[in-house]
Amino acid sequence: MAAVITIAAVDDDRMLISGLTAWVDSAPDLRLVATVESVDQLMQRDMGTIDVVVLDLMLADNSDPATNVRRIIRAGPKVLVATVMADPAHMLATHAAGAAGYLTKNHDLAELAAMIRDIHRGQQMFPSELAFAIAHDSRPNKPRLSDQELRLLVAYASGMTLDSAARRTSIRPATAKHYLERVKEKYRSVGRPTYTKLDLANRVREDGLVAGDPPPP
């Protein structure tokens, strides 16, 4: 029998909470252990009993979304951000803060549950909306990378081998090697020297594509 995934929801949308509660009650591998309206209220709970937090992007207390993500992650749970609209700036900020997933509320509860399961398994969720936001990030010294280049870069820089990263992005290893060389050249073209796997990991971390320390070279 699969392990039960414990969930907390931070949201002031009563309709969503009611729907999520009903859905979880029918899923044997999911258990909703807390529903609160702010991260401050969540922090009063036993965070060690929570696997995944579904966090509304814009809460009624006007708290900063990226700060909310960082607070929850420091306490232990993984974070899935839920929002009405896919705002590129907030998407980038919460992803850089360490959110494991980002989902707009026009998706149904089955899709939400599937993403919760994926996040709990440790899969890195990289939705097309986030790839688009990163690719069109207008901050200085950011190379313009394609969706495929971004997916490969994040997989490879997270510590995967070239072959594993190629499989993750559904391309051949030879093609993956070519893409990575092209990514390095794009970083060098904007004045950011990039030659090794460690350099790529540092660029990924600097640009907020993943959280945490770079893997060993």
Side-chain angles (χ1 to χ4, degrees):
M1 183 177 177
V4 174
I5 304 169
T6 53
I7 308 162
V10 185
D11 202 315
D12 47 21
D13 183 341
R14 291 291 95 193
M15 187 176 295
L16 182 141
I17 293 297
S18 296
L20 180 60
T21 300
W23 176 268
V24 168
D25 283 346
S26 67
D29 64 327
L30 302 176
R31 182 158 60 93
L32 188 62
V33 297
T35 60
V36 295
E37 296 186 359
S38 71
V39 174
D40 284 339
Q41 293 175 359
L42 180 67
M43 290 299 161
Q44 297 173 16
R45 306 294 181 112
D46 181 0
M47 300 297 285
T49 65
I50 302 170
D51 295 317
V52 179
V53 173
V54 179
L55 173 68
D56 186 24
L57 181 70
M58 305 303 293
L59 296 170
D61 62 2
N62 294 317
S63 51
D64 177 65
T67 299
N68 286 338
V69 170
R70 283 191 289 269
R71 289 181 67 191
I72 295 169
I73 289 174
R74 282 197 297 266
K78 297 174 182 177
V79 178
L80 168 57
V81 175
T83 181
V84 174
M85 297 182 63
D87 177 85
H90 283 130
M91 197 180 299
L92 288 166
T94 54
H95 184 65
Y102 193 104
L103 191 71
T104 52
K105 290 183 179 179
N106 61 327
H107 292 78
D108 61 31
L109 289 172
E111 292 172 283
L112 174 64
M115 186 170 279
I116 288 171
R117 294 182 180 106
D118 287 340
I119 287 172
H120 183 254
R121 285 195 294 266
Q123 295 185 17
Q124 183 171 357
M125 308 310 296
F126 201 63
S128 58
E129 295 93 343
L130 180 57
F132 181 86
I134 294 171
H136 292 79
D137 189 351
S138 60
R139 289 176 293 181
N141 299 326
K142 286 293 298 295
R144 295 293 294 272
L145 304 180
S146 70
D147 178 65
Q148 190 77 290
E149 288 170 341
L150 282 166
R151 291 174 184 273
L152 176 66
L153 171 61
V154 170
Y156 183 64
S158 70
M160 288 185 179
T161 65
L162 178 64
D163 286 353
S164 295
R167 284 195 299 272
R168 171 65 66 86
T169 49
S170 301
I171 58 178
R172 294 183 296 111
T175 303
K177 183 176 181 180
H178 172 70
Y179 280 4
L180 288 174
E181 290 303 318
R182 192 163 64 190
V183 168
K184 292 175 186 177
E185 177 56 35
K186 287 184 177 183
Y187 271 107
R188 291 195 292 266
S189 71
V190 295
R192 301 170 68 185
T194 305
Y195 298 93
T196 67
K197 183 174 185 177
L198 183 58
D199 289 338
L200 287 172
N202 286 333
R203 299 298 89 79
V204 162
R205 193 178 74 260
E206 291 163 1
D207 291 344
L209 305 183
V210 295
D213 297 325

